[in-house]
Amino acid sequence: MDVQGILVAGGTLGAVGAVAASVLAAASRAFRVDEDPRIGQVTEALPGANCGGCGYPGCSGYAAAVVAGKAAPDLCAPGGAGAVRRIGAILGIAIEEKVRMVAVVRCGGGHQACPTRFHYAGVRNCKAVTLLTEGGSKGCPDACEGLGDCVEACLFDAIHMGPDGLPIVDRERCTACGQCVKACPKGVMVLEPCTARVTVACHTRLAAREVRKVCSAGCISCRQCVKVCPYEALAMKGNLPVFDHSRCVSCGLCIDACKPGTMAARVTPDPAVREQALARQAERKAEEAARKAAASPAPAGDAS
Amino acid sequence: MDAVAYLQLVFWAMFVNNFVLAQFLGICPFLGVSRKVDSALGMAAAVIFVMVLASVITFLLYGAVLVPLSLQYLQTILFILVIAALVQFVEMAIRKFSPSLFQALGIYLPLITTNCAVLGASLLAIKKEFDFMEALVFSLGSALGFGMVLVLFAAIRERLALLRDTPRAFRGMPIALLTAGILSLAFLGFSGIVKV
């Protein structure tokens, strides 16, 4: 048996291995990069969904940015208030809690309300149809295509396609990561505070006259909702009413006032809030009448 | 060898004898990191970097250690050892000296420690009895070929992922493998153009 050969082979391999090991050991000392230990802690405090909703590559990227002070600590939507609190504890800073947001569908033009202009037989996704056909297959250029790009984009299984070709958001599951907002080529998905129970389910750019032609659920700029709101939470901006969410109490009066049914309740309004709103409306009407009668400026009553 | 011969060698390594499509080396990163063009580009850059470095080091080690001791049969295991250690070392060095490069290549570097394409480039350079410059050019050409095919394939897969008419049974990996096969057939057209 060639013992010497075995020894030489083993020795050579061992020697090369030992050299490599010592070089690596030396390198790990020499090239050590001191990483802030808080980065690891913050990464652990985050949910680890790597959804990218914060705009950073993955949770660890966001953690590094937060520790470096380059990012606000409340950008993690899936982590919610819990993650913000934990990050605050790690970094030793007080953080205001943010109102939870949810994704909202700003279109009511399903297959019934807003029919398609033609039969589309191409690639079955919203991006493709919008790109290929300039404005998509629906009568309204801003209408939901209903091919489910948002459903596919949702990382939390919170969006499902409804029977009428409009996506339905599961508000419990939605974490407001914003993936659907990015995925939708029509800008139908937006994030709104979850306290807002009523939404303007239309975001068309068309004028009222055009809207009437193409969609039975679209906003016709009739201003009824603005007039009926006792809290002045609605104002017209262009063709569409826009909510001031800090004023809206979700009484639902605008839903009843809206003829095309553009105003949509995301959650059924509370009857007590409604009673209160009706009372306030009556009060305001009386005030208005009194003001007209006296023709002198009466001081507006405080909100109750 | 003159410049034309080196160009021929690069062409041969990139197209005629492409690592992925003709020699079927490095299939795992080819399938694993080809979902997005961005990550394919990162991986391609990392492979080009490591493959050239590794074949230079292993070539020198082969001539300086294995041949004098007549231990050529140890080349496979020794090269694996050296490449693994080298990649670790390079990763640490990049992390220290160029954080931006580390950001770009970082996650892909550990993936290539045991990549068969890198080992293949080192072993083939020995088997073909290249001299130092030829080995260097060969490894560069091979790495470029690998990167090119990876990016091509990733671009095709990105478009495939947009389709929803793919039959259910073919979705995901099966259609990717079929695509790889067709790509390989297409590259067969280069065979015999250059002989090395």
Side-chain angles (χ1 to χ4, degrees):
Chain A
M1 210 162 65
D2 184 7
V3 176
Q4 204 196 343
I6 298 173
L7 284 178
V8 170
T12 311
L13 207 55
V16 173
V19 169
S22 48
V23 167
L24 281 186
S28 75
R29 278 257 173 95
F31 297 156
R32 199 178 58 174
V33 178
D34 289 316
E35 201 176 54
D36 198 325
R38 291 179 303 174
I39 293 176
Q41 288 172 348
V42 173
T43 312
E44 267 169 44
L46 294 168
N50 287 318
C51 65
C54 52
Y56 290 87
C59 293
S60 55
Y62 174 59
V66 168
V67 172
K70 285 181 200 150
D74 54 357
L75 293 182
C76 181
V84 176
R85 221 175 303 120
R86 288 194 294 273
I87 294 172
I90 294 164
L91 299 181
I93 45 175
I95 293 156
E96 287 172 39
E97 282 191 15
K98 216 160 108 177
V99 181
R100 198 170 82 87
M101 305 286 273
V102 285
V104 165
V105 184
R106 284 196 62 198
C107 178
H111 298 320
Q112 295 285 318
C114 183
T116 50
R117 295 187 288 163
F118 51 83
H119 176 68
Y120 173 70
V123 175
R124 305 290 294 165
N125 71 42
C126 313
K127 259 205 186 78
V129 64
T130 311
L131 272 173
L132 289 171
T133 64
E134 287 191 21
S137 64
K138 288 298 194 75
C140 168
D142 295 313
C144 172
E145 288 293 336
L147 296 175
D149 279 18
C150 49
V151 177
E152 206 137 290
C154 184
L155 299 165
F156 302 94
D157 197 26
I159 308 181
H160 297 280
M161 198 43 76
D164 198 28
L166 284 175
I168 298 168
V169 179
D170 182 337
R171 290 170 75 94
E172 294 303 311
R173 286 195 175 162
C174 177
T175 63
C177 69
Q179 291 293 335
C180 50
V181 178
K182 272 186 234 161
C184 180
K186 294 291 198 77
V188 169
M189 306 299 293
V190 287
L191 298 178
E192 281 186 1
C194 73
T195 47
R197 294 178 170 204
V198 186
T199 313
V200 188
C202 181
H203 74 130
T204 188
R205 71 187 88 151
L206 296 181
R209 196 160 26 95
E210 303 293 318
V211 172
R212 277 180 209 272
K213 284 182 200 156
V214 294
C215 182
S216 64
C219 176
I220 50 169
S221 318
C222 66
R223 306 174 64 93
Q224 286 303 320
C225 50
V226 177
K227 280 181 202 151
V228 82
C229 182
Y231 299 94
E232 291 170 357
L234 277 155
M236 291 304 283
K237 198 173 174 187
N239 292 330
L240 294 168
V242 175
F243 270 105
D244 178 351
H245 290 300
S246 61
R247 287 188 177 173
C248 175
V249 297
S250 303
C251 63
L253 294 188
C254 50
I255 300 174
D256 299 341
C258 181
K259 284 204 188 83
T262 306
M263 284 293 171
R266 296 299 162 195
V267 179
T268 323
D270 191 344
V273 174
R274 202 181 155 78
E275 289 303 315
Q276 221 173 344
L278 281 170
R280 194 181 148 91
Q281 198 181 21
E283 203 178 287
R284 274 166 60 96
K285 268 186 190 156
E287 244 172 53
E288 189 88 353
R291 199 185 310 161
K292 268 186 191 161
S296 62
D302 279 329
S304 54
Chain B
M1 273 181 119
D2 52 18
V4 175
Y6 284 129
L7 274 180
Q8 280 183 339
L9 186 58
V10 168
F11 186 84
W12 179 75
M14 271 182 88
F15 293 98
V16 182
N17 207 25
N18 187 283
F19 261 40
V20 178
L21 298 178
Q23 307 201 56
F24 310 114
L25 288 171
I27 300 290
C28 27
F30 178 64
L31 293 172
V33 206
S34 57
R35 268 175 213 284
K36 284 190 175 161
V37 172
D38 287 351
S39 49
L41 280 170
M43 185 68 184
V47 166
I48 292 170
F49 186 65
V50 169
M51 202 183 261
V52 173
L53 204 61
S55 58
V56 167
I57 300 273
T58 52
F59 187 86
L60 294 177
L61 200 71
Y62 184 81
V65 177
L66 294 185
V67 174
L69 293 170
S70 56
L71 288 174
Q72 286 91 333
Y73 61 89
L74 278 184
Q75 57 177 347
T76 307
I77 188 162
L78 193 76
F79 286 3
I80 293 175
L81 180 73
V82 170
I83 292 169
L86 179 75
V87 174
Q88 290 290 316
F89 180 80
V90 167
E91 193 189 346
M92 281 192 260
I94 290 182
R95 193 169 179 186
K96 174 77 178 176
F97 295 117
S98 174
S100 53
L101 191 62
F102 182 76
Q103 281 282 324
L105 299 184
I107 47 172
Y108 305 109
L109 278 174
L111 289 174
I112 349 176
T113 34
T114 50
N115 186 334
C116 45
V118 177
L119 184 64
S122 303
L123 289 176
L124 279 172
I126 306 285
K127 194 178 158 201
K128 287 265 178 192
E129 296 179 341
F130 285 146
D131 63 26
F132 181 75
M133 271 314 286
E134 284 171 331
L136 184 69
V137 171
F138 167 70
S139 62
L140 182 67
S142 303
L144 285 174
F146 178 87
M148 175 191 66
V149 168
L150 189 67
V151 173
L152 277 179
F153 190 54
I156 295 174
R157 279 185 83 177
E158 266 190 1
R159 279 158 183 75
L160 275 178
L162 267 179
L163 293 173
R164 292 201 196 147
D165 322 345
T166 316
R168 186 169 281 271
F170 284 108
R171 276 181 204 171
M173 202 42 98
I175 194 81
L177 288 170
L178 281 174
T179 313
I182 294 168
L183 208 55
S184 180
L185 280 177
F187 267 68
L188 208 62
F190 289 112
S191 64
I193 292 183
V194 189
K195 277 242 154 44
V196 172

